[in-house]
Amino acid sequence: MIAYNSERLSLALLGKTNSGKSSFLNFISDQDVSIVSSQKGTTTDPIKKSMEIHDFGPVLFFDTAGFDDNTNLYEKRIEKTKKAVEKSDILLYFLSIDDKIEEIYALKEKYKKIIFIASKQDLEIGNDLLEKFKDFSPLAINIKNNHDREKFFDKIKSTYKIEDNSITKSLVKENDLVLLVIPQDAEAPKYRLIKPQVMTIREIIDKNASAVSTNLKNLENTLNSFNKKPDLVITDSQYFKEVYNILDKDIRLTSFSVLFSAFKADINYYIESVKKLDQGAKKNLNCRSLFSSTNFRRYRNSKNSKTFEKKIQGYRNRLSKGRRF
């Protein structure tokens, strides 16, 4: 199965020009992916390189432009570097001898999953990097030593657990029974499931758990056929309420949408957004009650009619601009 970019662990290579980013990417991938030159501004747009780490999974590297690039295209390059950093799961920062200690501390504080790389260990400056930045436990990389490739892979495996990049994460364990409630879309090709469903089933099997699929109409029959309750039920979001009402309340329930929100995006941001929407809905209800005919007449005839008219006009202005209350 092909792993698309959103399903890969993303690693952004960040650092000043000539800090060894491009040489490192060529070394790790064992290919000439990036142009290596002592001239500043050699790397322009972020270079992407996908590969597979044995016993871990697919990863995607972003080789970014040095952020001290003073060429004419500096601002555009830096903007693209920022976007690459935002997309990354792990930041690989390549230390330079002229980096300031306080700036490195700031990076460590801002990015929780950051690995500091002391490259150029094949050169004399390599030891200077290790000595200056020893408090940050940098990973020493010698691109002429093939053992350092495995050393880097081991560091990635210890920094980012495979479970972090799985669909079901800790919800599914070995020997679990997972029931999937899958609707059949009339527009979908016959005899085929959509990709999120296939990916979830495959992962459950890879975890040595059991995946059983059914539809909403046959859900109760399927449950009655089991000699034990399922450890987890995953449903399509459109049937969430119906499935919830059928299941015993001690059976864990989630949806494909929730799982993939956590898998491809930030589930915490998703939860906070839902809370904001709930707050906005309550404010909108207050606004609707204000616009009701009874309230309108009552406020209009009150002593605060001018204040009321101003409030109404304010609501109208916000509505005309498509803004929330």
Side-chain angles (χ1 to χ4, degrees), residues 115 137 139 150-160:
I115 299 174
S137 303
L139 183 66
E150 292 302 321
K151 181 169 71 174
F152 170 74
F153 292 155
D154 289 340
K155 182 69 174 179
I156 293 298
K157 293 174 185 178
S158 64
T159 303
Y160 199 100

Side-chain angles (χ1 to χ4, degrees), residues 280-296 312 315 319 325:
K282 291 177 182 177
K283 291 182 180 179
N284 280 334
L285 286 174
N286 293 334
C287 174
R288 291 191 192 100
S289 67
L290 187 63
F291 274 109
S292 68
S293 58
T294 303
N295 286 339
F296 188 87
I312 289 293
Y315 282 132
L319 282 171
F325 294 98

Side-chain angles (χ1 to χ4, degrees), residues 206-265:
D206 286 345
K207 288 187 173 185
N208 292 322
S210 300
V212 178
S213 300
T214 188
N215 55 26
L216 182 63
K217 184 178 180 179
N218 198 43
L219 175 57
E220 291 188 70
N221 288 335
T222 305
L223 288 167
N224 292 332
S225 70
F226 294 153
N227 56 16
K228 72 165 190 171
K229 292 182 180 180
D231 298 289
L232 177 69
V233 175
I234 306 172
T235 181
D236 189 275
S237 56
Q238 63 179 304
Y239 293 143
F240 202 99
K241 183 177 180 180
E242 291 88 341
V243 173
Y244 175 81
N245 290 333
I246 293 173
L247 295 179
D248 291 343
K249 297 304 177 272
D250 59 340
I251 298 177
R252 296 183 301 168
L253 172 65
T254 188
S255 71
F256 290 102
S257 297
V258 172
L259 291 178
F260 277 81
S261 292
F263 178 55
K264 293 190 174 184

Side-chain angles (χ1 to χ4, degrees), residues 10-221:
S10 299
L11 305 100
L13 282 61
L14 186 67
K16 293 183 177 179
T17 53
N18 300 327
S19 57
K21 300 185 298 297
S22 297
S23 297
F24 171 84
L25 184 55
N26 291 342
F27 166 68
I28 288 297
S29 63
D30 200 22
Q31 296 178 13
D32 290 330
V33 178
S34 296
I35 299 174
V36 177
S37 171
S38 59
Q39 182 178 344
K40 289 189 175 184
T42 301
T43 303
T44 53
D45 291 348
I47 295 172
K48 299 179 183 179
K49 174 58 183 174
S50 57
M51 60 180 295
E52 190 95 8
I53 297 180
H54 182 63
D55 287 338
F56 180 80
V59 297
L60 178 66
F61 290 95
F62 290 94
D63 183 15
T64 67
F67 56 75
D68 60 337
D69 172 15
N70 56 8
T71 60
N72 294 334
L73 297 176
Y74 169 75
E75 290 186 2
K76 291 184 177 180
R77 289 173 177 171
I78 291 304
E79 189 61 33
K80 291 185 177 182
T81 294
K82 289 179 179 178
K83 289 181 179 179
V85 171
E86 289 172 359
K87 293 178 182 178
S88 67
D89 299 299
I90 296 178
L91 186 62
L92 305 178
Y93 187 84
F94 287 75
L95 296 162
S96 295
I97 199 65
D98 55 346
D99 278 332
K100 296 180 179 178
I101 296 293
E102 57 269 24
E103 292 176 347
I104 303 303
Y105 271 116
L107 278 172
K108 185 177 180 180
E109 182 65 26
K110 185 174 182 180
Y111 300 102
K112 300 307 178 185
K113 288 188 176 178
I114 182 170
I115 299 174
F116 294 101
I117 306 290
S119 192
K120 302 187 177 183
Q121 293 303 305
D122 54 318
L123 303 175
E124 186 176 340
I125 197 174
N127 288 329
D128 296 336
L129 289 171
L130 289 175
E131 178 61 30
K132 180 176 180 179
F133 301 106
K134 60 184 178 182
D135 291 343
F136 302 95
S137 303
L139 183 66
I141 294 294
N142 181 348
I143 61 173
K144 294 184 178 179
N145 185 347
N146 287 332
H147 292 294
D148 281 8
R149 187 180 289 111
E150 292 302 321
K151 181 169 71 174
F152 170 74
F153 292 155
D154 289 340
K155 182 69 174 179
I156 293 298
K157 293 174 185 178
S158 64
T159 303
Y160 199 100
K161 302 299 182 185
I162 295 179
E163 181 183 286
D164 295 341
N165 203 34
S166 72
I167 299 168
T168 56
K169 297 189 172 10
S170 60
L171 291 175
V172 177
K173 305 183 295 297
E174 188 174 2
N175 298 324
D176 276 356
L177 173 61
V178 183
L179 178 60
L180 301 97
V181 183
I182 301 176
Q184 290 305 298
D185 190 341
E187 296 181 359
K190 196 173 183 180
Y191 307 123
R192 289 177 61 184
L193 299 175
I194 62 175
K195 189 183 177 198
Q197 297 163 356
V198 174
M199 290 173 60
T200 305
I201 292 171
R202 170 61 189 268
E203 182 178 288
I204 293 169
I205 295 171
D206 286 345
K207 288 187 173 185
N208 292 322
S210 300
V212 178
S213 300
T214 188
N215 55 26
L216 182 63
K217 184 178 180 179
N218 198 43
L219 175 57
E220 291 188 70
N221 288 335

Side-chain angles (χ1 to χ4, degrees), residues 294-308:
T294 303
N295 286 339
F296 188 87
R297 285 194 300 272
R298 186 177 71 212
Y299 282 110
R300 185 179 60 186
N301 297 328
S302 69
K303 293 180 181 179
N304 296 322
S305 60
K306 288 186 178 179
T307 302
F308 174 71

